Amino acid sequence: MTDPLQVPYRERERSVTMEPLGEERLHDELFTINIGPHHPATHGVLRLLTTLEGEIVRDVKPIIGYVHTGIEKSCEDQQYWKAITFVERMDYLSYYYNAQAFCMAVERLLEEEVPPRAEYLRVLHLELNRVASHLFWIATAALDIGAITMLWWGCRDRDLVLDLFEMSSGQRIHTRYFQVGGVMEDIPPGFEAKTREFVKVMHKRLDQYLSLLDRNEIWLQRTKGTGIVPVERLLELGVTGPLLRAAGHPWDLRKAAPYSAYDQFDFKVPVGTVGDNYDRFRVRIEEMRESLGIVEQALDGLPEGPWITRNRKVALPPRHELATSMEALIHHFKLVTEGFRVPPGETYAAVESPRGELGCFVLADGSSKPARVHMRDPSFVNLQSLPDMAKDALIADFIACVAMLDPILGGVDR
Amino acid sequence: MPDATGLELIAQRVRDSVAAEAVTGTAFYREEATLEVAPAAVHDALAYLRDAEDEPWPLLMSLHGCDYLPEEPRLAVHYQLLSMERVDRLNVKTRLGVEDPRLPSVVDLYPTANFQEREVYDMFGVVFEGHPDLRRILMPEDYEGFPQRRDFPMGGEPVMFTFNEDEYPRWYD
C-alpha cells in the first residue's frame, strides 16, 4: 500500500467530483451532509459525515481531531507530578479518573504504596465524579432530545458535586487532587456532613429525573429500541463501560479487577437486557445510585492515618516541617525543581471511568519526565461503534445515539 | 496476569504454532507480561493468540505506539490484549525501525484497531498494510511530520493564517 500522504493535498481534493443525477434516480438519491463540527448535538467539536437516504441514516463517518491539543506530547516535557495537570484535561468531565489512571501507572512503576485513607478518599472522589459526569451526560442527552428542563436540573445537581470538590481541593473542575502516592489534602471539617446531605438529596433527585423522563412519550420513542448493537459486535469494537453493560455484559473493572480500594466496597453492576438507548439511560441512572452507595460506604469506613505516602522522595513534606527540618527543605526543593525520578520501565494501568476502560500507558526512561504517556480513552474507542448504532436509523434517533454514546471530545482528541 | 512461567509457555506455543522466529523476547515487569514479536509476524501471532490458543485473548483493549529513542530499533507498537473470562491481560509488543516502518494491519482481527492504528500512523508514521482507511486522524490531513516521535520538536509551530498560508510546506503543491 502506498503512503496516502504521498498524494498531494490538492490532488486529493480534486478527486471529489460532482455528477448530475438522471431523472430515474431522483428518488433513491443518497445525500451526504455534514453534521458538525460546530453543532450543539455533537457534544463538542465532532464532525459526522452522514450519508442519508431520505431521513434514514445509511452511513456515518466520525471525523475527529478538531480539539487535538497534543496533551500526550506535552506530558513528555513535564515532570511526573506536573503531568497530572495535563492528563486531567483530556476527558474534562471525568478528570479524577484521568489522574487516577496516570497516578496508578506511575505508582506501579515506582512500587509506591498508597495509604488506605488515601485510597478511600480516592474512591470517594472518583464516585462523586462519576455522578457529576453522568449528571452532565443526562443533562445534555435530554437536551438533544428536546427536554430542556433536564438540562437545568442536571447542571443544578452537578453543581452540588462541584461544591464538594471545591471544598476538598479548592477547585471545581480539574482539581489536581490526586497525587502520586495519595491525595493532596485531607478532607476538611464539614465535608462529610455536606456529602451525606448531597447523597440524600441526590437519591430523591434521581427519582425526580425518572418521573420526568421515564414516562415521557417523546423520550421513550427516541430511546426504546433504537441504537441496538449486539454484544459480540461491541466487544469486537472494544466498547466498554455503560454501553457494554447496557447490552447485558456485566464487565466492570471495579468488580472484575479491583484497583484502589474497590475490593472493600459493596456495590452492584447494573446491566441492561436489550442494549438500546433506553437501557443505556437506565444503566447510567442505576450506576449513579450505586455510586452514591459507594460514597456513603467510603465515608462510613474512612480509615484514619496519612492521606499521602510518607516517602519524601515522592510526596512533598508537610508545610510545617519546612520551618524546622533541613531534610524536609531539601526534599521540598528537589521535588519542586527536579521532580522525582522513575526507574526505567513501562506499564499500562486501567480504571473504569464513567465511559469505560480508561487505560494509561506510561513509559519511563529513568529521568523525572515520562518518555511516553498514552491514554486509551474510552470515548475515542467507543466512537467507532456509532456507525453500527446509527445504521438505518432516523436522523432524530441518530442524534439520540450520539447523546447516549456520551463521547467527550476532549478525551477523543486529547 | 500470566506469571513469568505462563508467559514463557505462551511464547513457546506461539513459536511452535506460528514460526520459530516470531517471538523475539519476553519481559515480565511489575506483574505485567509482555510478549515481543517480530514485526512481520504480528498478524499471525495475534490471530493465533485470539483464536487458536487454548487460553485465548479475544479482545484488543489498546493499541498504541511508542518511541524508544535512543534505543534501536526506535519505534514500537503495543497491543494490549484482554481476556474477560480469566480477567487477564497480555501486552504484545513489536519493535520496528524508523526508516519506512511497516506493519500488517490487525483491523480484520480486531475491528477496534481501526481508529487506533490510524492514530499510530498519524503520530509515529507507522504504515499499517491492509488497513481499510489509513489517513491521519487527529492531525490535519496535510500535516508534515509525525509529532509523537521523540525527535519531533515541541512547540515553536507557527499559526497558520490566510496571509501566510503559502509559506506552509506542501500546502499548495
Side-chain angles (χ1 to χ4, degrees), chain A residues 3-5 9-10 64 72-73 76 108-109 236-237 344 346-348 357 372 376 384 414, chain B residues 29-30 32 61 65 68 78 89 93 102 112 119 121 134 137 141 147-149 152 154 170 172:
Chain A
D3 187 350
L5 280 189
Y9 178 71
R10 290 299 186 206
I64 57 175
E72 289 176 4
K73 181 79 176 172
E76 294 173 13
R108 202 176 287 171
L109 289 171
E236 271 184 1
L237 289 167
E346 56 195 32
T347 191
Y348 175 85
E357 172 172 328
R372 169 99 168 108
R376 184 258 188 218
Q384 294 185 75
R414 297 182 299 277
Chain B
Y29 183 72
R30 300 284 192 257
E32 275 175 50
M61 272 295 119
Y68 286 89
H78 294 247
R89 286 177 196 274
K93 171 171 139 182
R102 277 168 192 279
T112 176
E119 191 191 342
Y121 164 71
L134 194 66
I137 185 164
E141 55 183 4
Q148 280 280 359
R149 288 191 182 175
F152 192 90
M154 199 174 299
R170 298 191 34 181
Y172 272 125

Side-chain angles (χ1 to χ4, degrees), chain B residues 82-96:
Chain B
L82 171 75
S83 158
M84 285 186 178
E85 283 70 35
R86 302 189 308 279
V87 194
D88 214 357
R89 286 177 196 274
L90 176 71
N91 185 18
V92 176
K93 171 171 139 182
T94 184
R95 298 287 293 263
L96 59 172

Side-chain angles (χ1 to χ4, degrees), chain A residues 342-357:
Chain A
V342 176
E346 56 195 32
T347 191
Y348 175 85
V351 300
E352 184 74 28
S353 96
R355 275 158 276 281
E357 172 172 328

Side-chain angles (χ1 to χ4, degrees), chain A residues 74-75 180:
Chain A
S74 303
C75 285
V180 175

Side-chain angles (χ1 to χ4, degrees), chain B residues 62-117:
Chain B
S62 178
L63 188 160
H64 43 263
C66 201
D67 187 348
Y68 286 89
L69 186 83
E71 281 176 40
E72 281 296 334
R74 263 178 59 188
L75 301 180
V77 176
H78 294 247
Y79 302 82
Q80 194 74 39
L81 304 183
L82 171 75
S83 158
M84 285 186 178
E85 283 70 35
R86 302 189 308 279
V87 194
D88 214 357
R89 286 177 196 274
L90 176 71
N91 185 18
V92 176
K93 171 171 139 182
T94 184
R95 298 287 293 263
L96 59 172
V98 77
E99 294 301 325
D100 191 28
R102 277 168 192 279
L103 271 183
S105 166
V106 295
V107 176
D108 54 331
L109 297 173
Y110 302 102
T112 176
N114 189 328
F115 272 21
Q116 308 192 44
E117 282 186 352

Side-chain angles (χ1 to χ4, degrees), chain B:
Chain B
M1 295 288 154
D3 52 11
T5 325
L7 175 63
E8 294 305 327
L9 291 173
I10 294 171
Q12 193 53 45
R13 286 200 291 271
V14 174
R15 276 192 200 102
D16 291 345
S17 328
V18 180
E21 65 282 356
V23 178
T24 52
T26 55
F28 194 74
Y29 183 72
R30 300 284 192 257
E31 304 297 308
E32 275 175 50
T34 304
L35 183 71
E36 219 173 289
V37 299
V42 162
H43 187 274
D44 296 342
L46 286 177
Y48 169 74
L49 286 171
R50 191 189 73 150
D51 299 321
E53 171 84 347
D54 349 321
E55 293 187 337
W57 307 88
L59 299 164
L60 177 70
M61 272 295 119
S62 178
L63 188 160
H64 43 263
C66 201
D67 187 348
Y68 286 89
L69 186 83
E71 281 176 40
E72 281 296 334
R74 263 178 59 188
L75 301 180
V77 176
H78 294 247
Y79 302 82
Q80 194 74 39
L81 304 183
L82 171 75
S83 158
M84 285 186 178
E85 283 70 35
R86 302 189 308 279
V87 194
D88 214 357
R89 286 177 196 274
L90 176 71
N91 185 18
V92 176
K93 171 171 139 182
T94 184
R95 298 287 293 263
L96 59 172
V98 77
E99 294 301 325
D100 191 28
R102 277 168 192 279
L103 271 183
S105 166
V106 295
V107 176
D108 54 331
L109 297 173
Y110 302 102
T112 176
N114 189 328
F115 272 21
Q116 308 192 44
E117 282 186 352
R118 277 178 68 187
E119 191 191 342
V120 174
Y121 164 71
D122 193 357
M123 296 296 164
F124 293 93
V126 178
V127 175
F128 289 90
E129 285 167 332
H131 189 286
D133 183 24
L134 194 66
R135 285 177 293 128
R136 286 195 181 271
I137 185 164
L138 295 181
M139 301 303 290
E141 55 183 4
D142 57 334
Y143 195 78
E144 286 267 301
F146 302 108
Q148 280 280 359
R149 288 191 182 175
R150 299 237 47 204
D151 51 4
F152 192 90
M154 199 174 299
E157 188 167 329
V159 182
M160 185 165 69
F161 297 102
T162 325
F163 78 89
N164 60 3
E165 191 190 60
D166 52 344
E167 291 165 21
Y168 275 80
R170 298 191 34 181
W171 179 250
Y172 272 125
D173 57 4

Side-chain angles (χ1 to χ4, degrees), chain A residues 305-321:
Chain A
W307 56 86
I308 194 161
T309 172
R310 290 194 196 279
N311 184 356
R312 296 281 187 263
K313 302 283 179 211
V314 172
L316 288 174
R319 190 71 189 80
H320 65 87
E321 271 186 29

